Amino acid sequence: MSAPFIFKRFSSTIPIHSKPTPSKAHLHFPLPSSSFPKGYVLTGIHAGVKKVAGVPDLAVILSTSSQPTSAAACFTRNAFKAAPVIVSNEILKKNGGYARGVVVNSGCANAVTGKQGMEDAWAMVRETDALLPSKKFEHETLVMSTGVIGQNLPISKIVEGIRSQAESSSTRSLASDFSAWERAAKAFMTTDTFPKLRSRTFTIDGVEYKLAGMDKGAGMIHPDMGPAGTEFKKQLHATLLGCILTDAAVSPRSLQSALTYAVDRSFNSISVDGDMSTNDSIYVLANGAASSSIIDEDATPQAYEAFKQELTTFAADLAKLVVRDGEGATKFVTVTVKGAPSYKDAHSIASRISTSALVKTALYGEDANWGRILAATGSVPLSPTNANTPPPVIDTTKVCVTIVPADGTAPLPVLVNGEPENVDEDRAKEIMTQEDFELLVDLGGMGDGEAQYWTCDFSYEYVRINGDYRS
Amino acid sequence: MSAPFIFKRFSSTIPIHSKPTPSKAHLHFPLPSSSFPKGYVLTGIHAGVKKVAGVPDLAVILSTSSQPTSAAACFTRNAFKAAPVIVSNEILKKNGGYARGVVVNSGCANAVTGKQGMEDAWAMVRETDALLPSKKFEHETLVMSTGVIGQNLPISKIVEGIRSQAESSSTRSLASDFSAWERAAKAFMTTDTFPKLRSRTFTIDGVEYKLAGMDKGAGMIHPDMGPAGTEFKKQLHATLLGCILTDAAVSPRSLQSALTYAVDRSFNSISVDGDMSTNDSIYVLANGAASSSIIDEDATPQAYEAFKQELTTFAADLAKLVVRDGEGATKFVTVTVKGAPSYKDAHSIASRISTSALVKTALYGEDANWGRILAATGSVPLSPTNANTPPPVIDTTKVCVTIVPADGTAPLPVLVNGEPENVDEDRAKEIMTQEDFELLVDLGGMGDGEAQYWTCDFSYEYVRINGDYRS
């Protein structure tokens, strides 16, 4: 039967021109040892979770402060929580928000590992506890794992690795210089292409404080992985892990409030592929080594507000590194939504735009496709302002979409008051061929809700990395 | 600075082996004219919205039944509703669920077109109304548009096209044979690779009824499109349009209930890329040409239930065709979730799995990656059973994931009661190299909530089609 009007798809023999993923090596650089918070020792060693000798796969982080060290955490909301998530949550609750140690392994996520997985996570905690002098609680260590899921940890190797950091051990490498921080950051990595380590100095009430931390994210199956990664053949699970350390003294409850606020505006505002892991965890320790004056929401609201903002900015810097290292990413795009009825609505819309496969492929194609941005914006149900009123409705004749270059040159409006502009395609191309730019969506004064998200593009490389197509 | 442990991404010069998208031509075939519902005339013509001569871009569908023709619709929930959506909704409301005509154009979506767009949609309605004898309402036509957004319709060409179907016109081609139905189905197409037309016969209370209908979906930017599609250079917007016609008599309220139920289990249960258009619309007309006995939820509950199930099955058949024609799709995968607390929860989880970029790239890679399925499952917040209780929590030790082949051979469990199986990789490959298979997720008896979703994979071709990368 003839079907003369059927459109033809192009043949699969047309060669695909995959754009190179830009190098990220410049995003890792030395930091002055003086920029790190006081009262912490760290290291990263090869315990043997990863198969290739010398690759760091175990980080140990200890607070040595004489002040109490408060701790807070944000964990994955996934129903399938890995053993280290369950164990760390239990310890934090039991201690009322105090912990002095963090132990992290990469190469195996200890997720979907049942009873044995729980025992292994507890073993990591106990062994690290043993490195801490004069314990105040039964357990004072939080644990994180990332890597393959559904496999048990090689726990005896990990235990041996932790014990190598005992005071009496000749192989102890716990230290506080840049090299120690870098070793720890490297032990977080799975398919990350660079260790993610940053520090920040700030002053509150005349006292100088430091924030420093490391995180990891980015990788799944990696069919053509180099020699260091040969163990990740199947079902490697991308996980977002982060650990932030400060020498401020912050009350446990306020540390948790500040972290929750910061994580919402940083790690919860990034998207590589929109999938939520079983292991995602962000920890923060505050050890009071710079000053014993306790920062607290109620007792010192101004100091708390200042600390919260510093933590948020710092967490966002760490979070953006994960987007930069997104699988196959060739773009780093800031999505800003303003004029929304609330922060929550702005955040939902920014999230929807940032995770839309159509928007992300258009970013890869460097295509100023406002239609896809608009469709994503309109597909988000807004929240009712109260239970008795219907949710607000976007006035489409007030919506503006602008592409903002990162180099400070003039922004390019593509939709103004709901009307498509006659876009200067050359100018659009000029902006979008850059690695960094911003998509600004203004809902036109529904309210003062504003939120930012950071996302990357969807590339052939993303499909290759995750499709694991064995041709 | 040396960074010996940084993992290397593979170079972009490695050639990408894009798997061919399977041909879909066999999915369009002739249907006996006797299989179509009585009392409808249809046609599809080239009005000139599309630039290439002869390509159908305007469909006209009229009920010729002497009985009242009831009508119902499900529209996009996108905040940015195209003019035809707004106009059709208004007419349906005003008429209390009666309409006898449907007019459809492809090539231009008449979306984000402001006041002129509204006038154009009304003009299409008025002109089609004029083809209907003895009107009972001011307007009796519903309108749909699909194609480029942000551009005005060439309305004079469309008006001319509609007028060519007047009784007095020598070019009138309205008819009721297969060829007429096929012409109409072709006029729905944008980047679809085949016209999507199906029919179904069923019997209720001894009366034989027919359902027939057409739909379209699938396409966005198409950089290397063949000659028929050269007009779609930028911002073509994928839209799901469907029109279902039956010769049963159904009360307007019950027709709407049945359609809402059916659409939830068909068009709202498919995913190509998870994006919601400004134009998505499904219409159903019921003209009573087979029998004047009115099917009604309250008056004839058994007949209504039977009709609802027939409509649901038929709508699902039409919806699946859209997934089969998904951009770059090489797989057709049924995602079944059972044992959930409610249908709603099962549907949310099936949706999450079906739209996960990680799951979809694993499908492309023919990789039995239960970890990604599990992570997607766990990331869905379940609904509280009532306002005073916390939402139920999935018991991870009861969850089973099974890959079910479409050929009736043995299913392959990959996760049983939360424990990963030692998967026979050869068998997994055997199943997943097929175009069709099923992913079955059983939550282990939380309730009897069960839902199905149909999805396709994420391929290089998808990125190419939507990335429009002009290298």
Side-chain angles (χ1 to χ4, degrees):
Chain A
M1 190 182 123
S2 84
F5 302 135
I6 294 181
F7 295 0
K8 297 282 176 240
R9 289 273 163 77
F10 28 73
S11 146
S12 65
T13 57
I14 294 175
I16 286 177
H17 299 288
S18 177
K19 285 187 291 184
T21 307
S23 165
K24 318 290 166 77
H26 63 286
L27 296 169
H28 177 58
F29 41 77
L31 299 168
S33 294
S34 63
S35 74
F36 295 113
K38 294 173 195 153
Y40 291 99
V41 291
L42 310 84
T43 195
I45 63 169
H46 174 73
V49 189
K50 293 177 180 170
K51 290 198 180 62
V52 178
V55 179
D57 53 20
L58 181 70
V60 176
I61 301 169
L62 305 179
S63 165
T64 58
S65 172
S66 58
Q67 299 296 318
T69 300
S70 49
C74 285
F75 297 108
T76 180
R77 295 191 180 104
N78 200 297
F80 302 97
K81 291 180 174 59
V85 169
I86 297 168
V87 166
S88 299
N89 190 31
E90 190 174 323
I91 292 170
L92 263 187
K93 278 196 173 165
K94 207 167 168 184
N95 296 5
Y98 290 98
R100 288 188 294 162
V102 177
V103 60
V104 185
N105 79 274
S106 54
C108 175
N110 193 11
V112 199
T113 43
K115 199 162 157 282
Q116 183 63 47
M118 290 296 289
E119 284 172 18
D120 292 347
W122 280 115
M124 288 176 72
V125 167
R126 268 196 318 272
E127 294 296 331
T128 311
D129 280 342
L131 304 176
L132 293 163
S134 62
K135 283 201 302 164
K136 292 171 193 71
F137 301 93
E138 187 185 356
H139 298 293
E140 299 196 55
T141 299
L142 307 180
V143 53
M144 305 203 245
S145 300
T146 177
V148 186
I149 79 174
Q151 287 183 12
N152 287 315
L153 287 173
I155 190 64
S156 57
K157 289 178 183 173
I158 291 179
V159 166
E160 204 181 317
I162 298 171
R163 287 183 184 170
S164 77
Q165 299 307 310
E167 291 258 15
S168 57
S169 167
S170 63
T171 52
R172 177 176 161 112
S173 55
L174 283 163
S176 56
D177 59 348
F178 168 69
S179 156
W181 284 81
E182 188 188 36
R183 282 197 301 278
K186 283 180 178 170
F188 276 65
M189 294 168 66
T190 56
T191 55
D192 302 73
T193 67
F194 64 93
K196 299 173 179 66
L197 174 65
R198 289 292 182 271
S199 63
R200 181 179 182 88
T201 300
F202 60 99
T203 302
I204 296 177
D205 295 337
V207 180
E208 188 177 274
Y209 296 102
K210 305 283 181 3
L211 275 165
M214 58 282 285
D215 64 353
K216 62 88 44 191
M220 310 277 162
I221 290 170
H222 210 318
D224 292 351
M225 186 179 276
T230 39
E231 67 276 30
F232 304 130
K233 277 321 289 173
K234 292 279 284 186
Q235 297 170 336
L236 177 69
H237 205 79
T239 288
L240 183 75
L241 294 187
C243 185
I244 300 176
L245 307 166
T246 182
D247 50 16
V250 186
S251 68
R253 196 178 61 91
S254 296
L255 189 62
Q256 184 63 57
S257 305
L259 182 66
T260 302
Y261 180 93
V263 165
D264 202 32
R265 284 151 183 83
S266 56
F267 298 102
N268 285 350
S269 295
I270 60 172
S271 174
V272 173
D273 51 25
D275 276 277
M276 184 199 281
S277 143
T278 50
N279 290 55
D280 294 343
S281 305
I282 308 292
Y283 299 160
V284 58
L285 302 191
N287 71 2
S291 161
S292 59
S293 305
I294 293 174
I295 296 172
D296 182 81
E297 240 171 310
D298 300 323
T300 63
Q302 280 190 326
Y304 169 77
E305 192 58 34
F307 174 76
K308 188 179 80 172
Q309 292 305 337
E310 291 293 339
L311 184 65
T312 302
T313 304
F314 184 69
D317 285 346
L318 279 183
K320 288 178 205 173
L321 291 178
V322 174
V323 178
R324 295 242 177 234
D325 207 14
E327 291 170 320
T330 74
K331 300 292 171 192
F332 177 84
V333 180
T334 302
V335 176
T336 305
V337 174
K338 59 185 198 182
S342 65
Y343 167 76
K344 187 165 167 276
D345 286 333
H347 194 259
S348 299
I349 292 171
S351 169
R352 188 74 191 77
I353 295 169
S354 298
T355 53
S356 158
L358 287 176
V359 171
K360 286 165 83 92
T361 46
L363 294 177
Y364 181 63
E366 301 171 348
D367 175 13
N369 197 315
W370 56 265
R372 297 183 187 179
I373 296 167
L374 207 62
T377 301
S379 70
V380 176
L382 301 183
S383 315
T385 43
N386 66 62
N388 302 318
T389 54
V393 175
I394 297 173
D395 180 349
T396 57
T397 67
K398 289 187 177 164
V399 176
C400 299
V401 177
T402 308
I403 304 174
V404 185
D407 60 8
T409 58
L412 180 71
V414 290
L415 191 83
V416 175
N417 295 327
E419 297 281 335
E421 295 296 282
N422 241 329
V423 175
D424 175 348
E425 292 286 344
D426 289 342
R427 175 61 180 150
K429 201 77 190 165
E430 198 173 64
I431 299 174
M432 298 186 75
T433 48
Q434 301 299 310
E435 188 175 335
D436 288 26
F437 53 89
E438 179 182 2
L439 301 178
L440 171 62
V441 177
D442 190 333
L443 300 186
M446 297 182 75
D448 57 5
E450 178 168 345
Q452 261 185 344
Y453 230 86
W454 298 278
T455 192
C456 55
D457 53 344
F458 252 163
S459 64
Y460 294 124
E461 205 68 1
Y462 178 84
V463 176
R464 172 150 66 179
I465 293 170
N466 291 300
D468 189 19
Y469 176 51
R470 287 154 287 195
S471 54
Chain B
M1 191 182 125
S2 83
F5 302 134
I6 293 181
F7 296 359
K8 297 283 177 239
R9 289 273 163 77
F10 28 74
S11 145
S12 65
T13 57
I14 294 174
I16 286 177
H17 298 288
S18 177
K19 285 187 291 183
T21 307
S23 165
K24 317 290 166 75
H26 64 285
L27 296 169
H28 177 57
F29 41 78
L31 299 168
S33 293
S34 63
S35 74
F36 295 113
K38 294 173 196 155
Y40 292 99
V41 290
L42 310 84
T43 195
I45 62 168
H46 174 73
V49 189
K50 293 177 180 169
K51 290 198 180 63
V52 178
V55 179
D57 53 20
L58 181 70
V60 175
I61 301 169
L62 305 180
S63 165
T64 58
S65 171
S66 58
Q67 300 295 318
T69 300
S70 48
C74 287
F75 297 108
T76 180
R77 295 191 181 104
N78 200 297
F80 302 97
K81 291 180 175 58
V85 168
I86 297 168
V87 166
S88 299
N89 189 31
E90 190 174 322
I91 292 170
L92 263 186
K93 279 196 173 164
K94 207 167 167 185
N95 296 6
Y98 291 98
R100 288 188 294 162
V102 178
V103 60
V104 184
N105 79 273
S106 55
C108 175
N110 194 10
V112 198
T113 42
K115 198 162 158 283
Q116 183 63 47
M118 291 295 290
E119 284 172 19
D120 292 347
W122 281 115
M124 289 176 71
V125 166
R126 268 196 318 272
E127 293 295 331
T128 311
D129 280 342
L131 304 176
L132 292 163
S134 62
K135 284 201 301 164
K136 292 172 193 72
F137 301 93
E138 187 185 356
H139 298 293
E140 299 196 55
T141 299
L142 307 179
V143 53
M144 305 203 245
S145 300
T146 178
V148 186
I149 79 174
Q151 287 183 12
N152 287 315
L153 287 173
I155 190 64
S156 57
K157 290 179 183 173
I158 291 178
V159 166
E160 202 180 318
I162 297 170
R163 288 183 184 170
S164 78
Q165 299 306 310
E167 291 257 15
S168 58
S169 167
S170 62
T171 52
R172 177 175 160 113
S173 55
L174 283 163
S176 56
D177 59 348
F178 168 69
S179 157
W181 284 81
E182 188 188 37
R183 283 197 301 278
K186 283 180 178 170
F188 276 65
M189 294 168 66
T190 55
T191 55
D192 303 72
T193 67
F194 64 94
K196 299 174 180 65
L197 174 65
R198 289 292 182 271
S199 64
R200 181 178 181 88
T201 300
F202 60 99
T203 302
I204 296 177
D205 295 337
V207 180
E208 188 177 274
Y209 297 103
K210 305 283 180 4
L211 275 165
M214 57 283 284
D215 63 354
K216 63 88 44 192
M220 310 277 163
I221 290 170
H222 210 318
D224 291 351
M225 186 179 276
T230 39
E231 67 275 29
F232 303 130
K233 277 320 288 173
K234 292 279 284 185
Q235 298 170 336
L236 176 69
H237 205 79
T239 288
L240 183 75
L241 295 187
C243 185
I244 300 175
L245 307 166
T246 182
D247 50 15
V250 187
S251 68
R253 196 178 61 92
S254 296
L255 190 63
Q256 184 63 57
S257 305
L259 182 66
T260 303
Y261 180 93
V263 165
D264 202 31
R265 284 151 184 84
S266 55
F267 298 102
N268 285 351
S269 295
I270 60 173
S271 173
V272 173
D273 51 25
D275 276 276
M276 184 199 281
S277 143
T278 50
N279 291 54
D280 295 343
S281 305
I282 307 293
Y283 298 160
V284 58
L285 302 191
N287 70 2
S291 162
S292 60
S293 305
I294 293 173
I295 296 172
D296 182 82
E297 241 171 310
D298 299 323
T300 63
Q302 281 189 327
Y304 169 76
E305 192 58 33
F307 174 76
K308 187 178 81 173
Q309 293 304 337
E310 292 293 339
L311 183 66
T312 302
T313 304
F314 183 70
D317 285 346
L318 279 183
K320 288 178 204 171
L321 291 178
V322 174
V323 178
R324 295 242 177 234
D325 207 15
E327 290 169 320
T330 74
K331 300 291 171 193
F332 177 85
V333 179
T334 302
V335 176
T336 305
V337 174
K338 59 185 198 182
S342 65
Y343 167 76
K344 187 166 167 275
D345 287 333
H347 194 259
S348 299
I349 293 170
S351 170
R352 189 74 191 77
I353 295 169
S354 298
T355 53
S356 158
L358 287 176
V359 170
K360 287 165 84 92
T361 46
L363 294 177
Y364 181 63
E366 300 171 349
D367 175 14
N369 197 315
W370 56 265
R372 296 182 187 179
I373 297 167
L374 208 62
T377 301
S379 70
V380 176
L382 301 183
S383 315
T385 43
N386 66 62
N388 302 317
T389 54
V393 175
I394 297 173
D395 180 350
T396 56
T397 67
K398 288 186 177 165
V399 176
C400 299
V401 177
T402 308
I403 304 174
V404 185
D407 60 7
T409 58
L412 181 71
V414 291
L415 191 83
V416 175
N417 294 327
E419 297 281 335
E421 295 297 282
N422 240 328
V423 174
D424 175 348
E425 293 285 344
D426 289 342
R427 175 62 180 149
K429 201 78 190 164
E430 198 173 63
I431 299 174
M432 297 186 75
T433 49
Q434 302 299 309
E435 189 175 335
D436 288 27
F437 54 88
E438 180 182 1
L439 302 177
L440 172 62
V441 177
D442 190 333
L443 300 185
M446 298 183 75
D448 57 5
E450 178 168 346
Q452 262 185 343
Y453 231 85
W454 298 279
T455 192
C456 55
D457 54 344
F458 252 163
S459 64
Y460 294 124
E461 205 68 0
Y462 178 84
V463 176
R464 173 150 64 179
I465 293 170
N466 290 300
D468 189 20
Y469 177 51
R470 287 154 287 194
S471 55

